[in-house]
Amino acid sequence: STQLRNETAGVLRIGIAGAGRIAARFVAEARYVSGVSVEAVHSRTWERTKEFADRHELEWANQSYEDLLGHVDAVYVATPHDTHYDYAKRAIEAGLHVLCEKPMTLSRAQTSELFELAASRGVVLLEAVKTAFSPGFQRMVAVARSGSIGQVRSVDATFTKLVDSGREMVGADGGSISELATYPLLAAVKLLGLGFTDLQTVSLRPPGSEVEVFSRIDLTYPHAVASARTGLGVKAEGDLVVAGSAGYIYVPAPWWLTEYFEARFEDSRKSKKYYYKFDGDGLRYELAEFASMIRSGTSESFKLRPAESIAIADMIERARASATIIR
Ligand SMILES: NC(=O)c1ccc[n+]([C@@H]2O[C@H](COP(=O)([O-])OP(=O)(O)OC[C@H]3O[C@@H](n4cnc5c(N)ncnc54)[C@H](OP(=O)(O)O)[C@@H]3O)[C@@H](O)[C@H]2O)c1
């Protein structure tokens, strides 16, 4: 298409929806990715939009989202979870590529719908789960899948952070699952696949808290199990253990910024250590993948396939809907 030719010839112009914490980190990270240029921003309030554009020296501060859509080739959606669907849908309908913050949506149906819409419009849609695109995590998945630790039998992944207030601590879409579960569920899906047969969740919502602050999601697969733990205001060791029939992989905290992991065996002399770089905030990896998909006309990234994003949305939706609440 003409649009694709222009993008291939020149720089991919990106607009950002949202002017908050992750949006600012994204602009800084985009400087490390060749062939892309962040040019526009639109947020809910004009003051924030204008201030963000000035601070980051962007070409356009757009009062309306429609205006932003007219100035760029692609949109990075960096607004609160419950608004992703709408911002992403409008961009796709305008024929733009979309890199959407995690969780893309909080339901299987909405996530599937966005991917179907993107496919029908011939644009790229990618969920911005930075871990999935980092060299260390990809290598860890490859080592696990190579059979060197035997059959994978269990995946245990934890992601917690200490937070007292803010977007994630209030409202119907707040809580540790919607904020953090994408990462441990990514590990489960990459290592065990999409075919889980059961999902059980326990969530802690202390008196006076609007949201659950700690959760454990247990997944059963035909020949394996996975457990994902998330916490906001609860701190635990943020590591990942992949247990196999011949050995296990240990990724120390913070495993989601994978720089180092070990394959360990009964005979400890056979342990193997793997070292990788995780540059900056890691957003450069997802952006580089996004830009490369657009340039090569590829609609699916094997690093995070649409079916995997849809499965994660399904797990998040089920976990939130069916959790046993403890106080
Ligand atoms: N990948 C990562 O490492 C990572 C890290 C953090 C967050 N995230 C994800 O990124 C998203 C944004 O998180 P954040 O921490 O950057 O949030 P934040 O700091 O609260 O910023 C959200 C921004 O979205 C704007 N916005 C636009 N439309 C909105 C609407 N209809 N309602 C409310 N706000 C609206 C806000 O506008 P105002 O300026 O007017 O308030 C604000 O600028 C979340 O989905 C989160 O899960 C990802």
Side-chain angles (χ1 to χ4, degrees), residues 51-76:
E51 188 275 324
F52 189 95
D54 290 346
R55 178 157 42 103
H56 297 287
E57 299 176 348
L58 307 187
E59 191 89 2
W60 305 100
N62 295 112
Q63 286 211 349
S64 84
Y65 189 48
E66 272 61 39
D67 273 353
L68 175 134
L69 297 177
H71 286 130
V72 294
D73 309 307
V75 174
Y76 169 58

Short mmCIF file of all heavy atoms in Angstrom, two decimals, residues 51-76:
data_model
loop_
_atom_site.label_atom_id
_atom_site.label_comp_id
_atom_site.label_asym_id
_atom_site.label_seq_id
_atom_site.Cartn_x
_atom_site.Cartn_y
_atom_site.Cartn_z
N GLU A 51 1.87 20.38 28.26
CA GLU A 51 3.08 20.32 29.10
C GLU A 51 3.97 19.15 28.66
O GLU A 51 5.19 19.28 28.56
CB GLU A 51 2.64 20.18 30.57
CG GLU A 51 3.74 20.28 31.61
CD GLU A 51 4.44 18.95 31.84
OE1 GLU A 51 3.79 17.90 31.81
OE2 GLU A 51 5.68 18.99 32.04
N PHE A 52 3.37 18.02 28.33
CA PHE A 52 4.11 16.84 27.91
C PHE A 52 4.81 17.11 26.57
O PHE A 52 6.00 16.80 26.40
CB PHE A 52 3.15 15.65 27.78
CG PHE A 52 3.81 14.33 27.55
CD1 PHE A 52 4.08 13.49 28.61
CD2 PHE A 52 4.14 13.89 26.26
CE1 PHE A 52 4.69 12.24 28.41
CE2 PHE A 52 4.75 12.66 26.05
CZ PHE A 52 5.02 11.84 27.12
N ALA A 53 4.07 17.69 25.64
CA ALA A 53 4.65 17.98 24.32
C ALA A 53 5.82 18.95 24.44
O ALA A 53 6.87 18.78 23.81
CB ALA A 53 3.57 18.55 23.40
N ASP A 54 5.67 19.97 25.30
CA ASP A 54 6.76 20.94 25.49
C ASP A 54 7.97 20.27 26.13
O ASP A 54 9.10 20.45 25.67
CB ASP A 54 6.29 22.10 26.40
CG ASP A 54 5.29 22.98 25.68
OD1 ASP A 54 5.17 22.85 24.43
OD2 ASP A 54 4.60 23.78 26.35
N ARG A 55 7.70 19.53 27.19
CA ARG A 55 8.81 18.90 27.94
C ARG A 55 9.61 17.95 27.05
O ARG A 55 10.82 17.87 27.14
CB ARG A 55 8.22 18.14 29.15
CG ARG A 55 9.22 17.41 29.99
CD ARG A 55 8.69 17.17 31.42
NE ARG A 55 7.30 16.76 31.48
CZ ARG A 55 6.89 15.51 31.70
NH1 ARG A 55 7.75 14.55 31.89
NH2 ARG A 55 5.60 15.23 31.75
N HIS A 56 8.90 17.23 26.15
CA HIS A 56 9.59 16.24 25.33
C HIS A 56 9.87 16.75 23.91
O HIS A 56 10.29 15.97 23.05
CB HIS A 56 8.79 14.94 25.28
CG HIS A 56 8.65 14.29 26.62
ND1 HIS A 56 9.69 13.65 27.24
CD2 HIS A 56 7.61 14.23 27.48
CE1 HIS A 56 9.30 13.20 28.42
NE2 HIS A 56 8.03 13.54 28.59
N GLU A 57 9.61 18.03 23.69
CA GLU A 57 9.88 18.67 22.40
C GLU A 57 9.23 17.90 21.24
O GLU A 57 9.89 17.56 20.25
CB GLU A 57 11.39 18.81 22.19
CG GLU A 57 12.01 19.69 23.28
CD GLU A 57 13.53 19.79 23.16
OE1 GLU A 57 14.13 19.01 22.40
OE2 GLU A 57 14.09 20.65 23.84
N LEU A 58 7.94 17.61 21.39
CA LEU A 58 7.21 16.93 20.33
C LEU A 58 6.66 17.96 19.35
O LEU A 58 6.37 19.10 19.72
CB LEU A 58 6.07 16.08 20.90
CG LEU A 58 6.44 15.07 22.00
CD1 LEU A 58 5.24 14.20 22.34
CD2 LEU A 58 7.62 14.20 21.58
N GLU A 59 6.47 17.51 18.13
CA GLU A 59 5.97 18.38 17.07
C GLU A 59 4.53 18.84 17.34
O GLU A 59 4.19 19.98 17.14
CB GLU A 59 6.00 17.58 15.76
CG GLU A 59 5.77 18.36 14.52
CD GLU A 59 7.08 18.90 13.96
OE1 GLU A 59 8.17 18.62 14.51
OE2 GLU A 59 6.99 19.62 12.97
N TRP A 60 3.69 17.90 17.81
CA TRP A 60 2.26 18.18 17.94
C TRP A 60 1.74 17.88 19.35
O TRP A 60 1.99 16.80 19.88
CB TRP A 60 1.43 17.30 16.98
CG TRP A 60 1.83 17.39 15.55
CD1 TRP A 60 2.60 16.50 14.87
CD2 TRP A 60 1.48 18.41 14.64
NE1 TRP A 60 2.75 16.91 13.58
CE2 TRP A 60 2.07 18.09 13.39
CE3 TRP A 60 0.71 19.59 14.73
CZ2 TRP A 60 1.92 18.88 12.27
CZ3 TRP A 60 0.57 20.37 13.60
CH2 TRP A 60 1.18 20.03 12.39
N ALA A 61 0.99 18.83 19.89
CA ALA A 61 0.15 18.56 21.07
C ALA A 61 -1.27 18.65 20.54
O ALA A 61 -1.69 19.72 20.07
CB ALA A 61 0.39 19.63 22.14
N ASN A 62 -1.99 17.54 20.55
CA ASN A 62 -3.30 17.51 19.91
C ASN A 62 -4.43 17.60 20.91
O ASN A 62 -4.52 16.79 21.83
CB ASN A 62 -3.44 16.24 19.07
CG ASN A 62 -2.46 16.22 17.91
OD1 ASN A 62 -1.54 15.42 17.88
ND2 ASN A 62 -2.63 17.14 16.99
N GLN A 63 -5.30 18.56 20.69
CA GLN A 63 -6.44 18.71 21.60
C GLN A 63 -7.42 17.57 21.42
O GLN A 63 -8.05 17.14 22.38
CB GLN A 63 -7.13 20.05 21.34
CG GLN A 63 -6.32 21.20 21.88
CD GLN A 63 -7.19 22.36 22.32
OE1 GLN A 63 -8.36 22.38 22.05
NE2 GLN A 63 -6.60 23.32 23.00
N SER A 64 -7.55 17.09 20.19
CA SER A 64 -8.46 15.96 19.98
C SER A 64 -7.66 14.76 19.48
O SER A 64 -6.62 14.91 18.82
CB SER A 64 -9.56 16.31 18.99
OG SER A 64 -9.11 16.12 17.67
N TYR A 65 -8.20 13.59 19.80
CA TYR A 65 -7.53 12.35 19.38
C TYR A 65 -7.58 12.23 17.85
O TYR A 65 -6.64 11.75 17.22
CB TYR A 65 -8.23 11.17 20.06
CG TYR A 65 -7.52 9.84 19.90
CD1 TYR A 65 -6.15 9.71 20.13
CD2 TYR A 65 -8.23 8.69 19.54
CE1 TYR A 65 -5.51 8.48 19.99
CE2 TYR A 65 -7.60 7.46 19.42
CZ TYR A 65 -6.24 7.36 19.63
OH TYR A 65 -5.62 6.14 19.51
N GLU A 66 -8.68 12.70 17.26
CA GLU A 66 -8.80 12.65 15.79
C GLU A 66 -7.67 13.44 15.14
O GLU A 66 -7.10 13.01 14.15
CB GLU A 66 -10.15 13.23 15.33
CG GLU A 66 -11.27 12.20 15.28
CD GLU A 66 -11.55 11.58 16.65
OE1 GLU A 66 -11.50 12.32 17.67
OE2 GLU A 66 -11.79 10.37 16.70
N ASP A 67 -7.33 14.57 15.72
CA ASP A 67 -6.22 15.37 15.19
C ASP A 67 -4.93 14.58 15.23
O ASP A 67 -4.16 14.55 14.27
CB ASP A 67 -6.02 16.64 16.03
CG ASP A 67 -6.91 17.76 15.54
OD1 ASP A 67 -7.55 17.57 14.50
OD2 ASP A 67 -6.94 18.81 16.22
N LEU A 68 -4.69 13.96 16.38
CA LEU A 68 -3.46 13.16 16.51
C LEU A 68 -3.42 12.08 15.43
O LEU A 68 -2.39 11.88 14.78
CB LEU A 68 -3.39 12.52 17.91
CG LEU A 68 -2.22 11.56 18.10
CD1 LEU A 68 -1.50 11.81 19.43
CD2 LEU A 68 -2.63 10.11 18.01
N LEU A 69 -4.56 11.42 15.22
CA LEU A 69 -4.59 10.33 14.24
C LEU A 69 -4.25 10.81 12.83
O LEU A 69 -3.74 10.04 12.03
CB LEU A 69 -5.97 9.64 14.26
CG LEU A 69 -6.37 8.95 15.58
CD1 LEU A 69 -7.77 8.37 15.50
CD2 LEU A 69 -5.37 7.85 15.96
N GLY A 70 -4.49 12.07 12.59
CA GLY A 70 -4.18 12.62 11.27
C GLY A 70 -2.71 12.99 11.07
O GLY A 70 -2.30 13.29 9.95
N HIS A 71 -1.93 12.97 12.14
CA HIS A 71 -0.53 13.42 12.03
C HIS A 71 0.50 12.31 12.05
O HIS A 71 1.69 12.58 11.93
CB HIS A 71 -0.21 14.36 13.22
CG HIS A 71 -0.83 15.72 13.08
ND1 HIS A 71 -1.56 16.32 14.08
CD2 HIS A 71 -0.81 16.59 12.06
CE1 HIS A 71 -1.96 17.50 13.68
NE2 HIS A 71 -1.53 17.68 12.44
N VAL A 72 0.05 11.07 12.29
CA VAL A 72 1.03 10.00 12.53
C VAL A 72 0.71 8.72 11.77
O VAL A 72 -0.38 8.57 11.21
CB VAL A 72 1.12 9.68 14.06
CG1 VAL A 72 1.70 10.86 14.82
CG2 VAL A 72 -0.23 9.27 14.62
N ASP A 73 1.67 7.79 11.75
CA ASP A 73 1.48 6.47 11.11
C ASP A 73 1.06 5.41 12.12
O ASP A 73 0.52 4.37 11.76
CB ASP A 73 2.81 5.99 10.49
CG ASP A 73 3.45 7.02 9.60
OD1 ASP A 73 2.75 7.51 8.68
OD2 ASP A 73 4.63 7.36 9.82
N ALA A 74 1.40 5.66 13.40
CA ALA A 74 1.16 4.63 14.42
C ALA A 74 0.89 5.31 15.75
O ALA A 74 1.34 6.43 15.99
CB ALA A 74 2.38 3.72 14.54
N VAL A 75 0.16 4.58 16.62
CA VAL A 75 -0.18 5.13 17.94
C VAL A 75 0.32 4.20 19.03
O VAL A 75 0.22 2.97 18.91
CB VAL A 75 -1.72 5.31 18.08
CG1 VAL A 75 -2.09 5.73 19.49
CG2 VAL A 75 -2.23 6.34 17.08
N TYR A 76 0.89 4.80 20.07
CA TYR A 76 1.24 4.06 21.28
C TYR A 76 0.19 4.42 22.32
O TYR A 76 0.06 5.59 22.71
CB TYR A 76 2.63 4.48 21.74
CG TYR A 76 3.02 3.98 23.12
CD1 TYR A 76 3.05 2.63 23.43
CD2 TYR A 76 3.40 4.88 24.11
CE1 TYR A 76 3.42 2.18 24.68
CE2 TYR A 76 3.77 4.45 25.38
CZ TYR A 76 3.78 3.09 25.66
OH TYR A 76 4.14 2.65 26.90
#
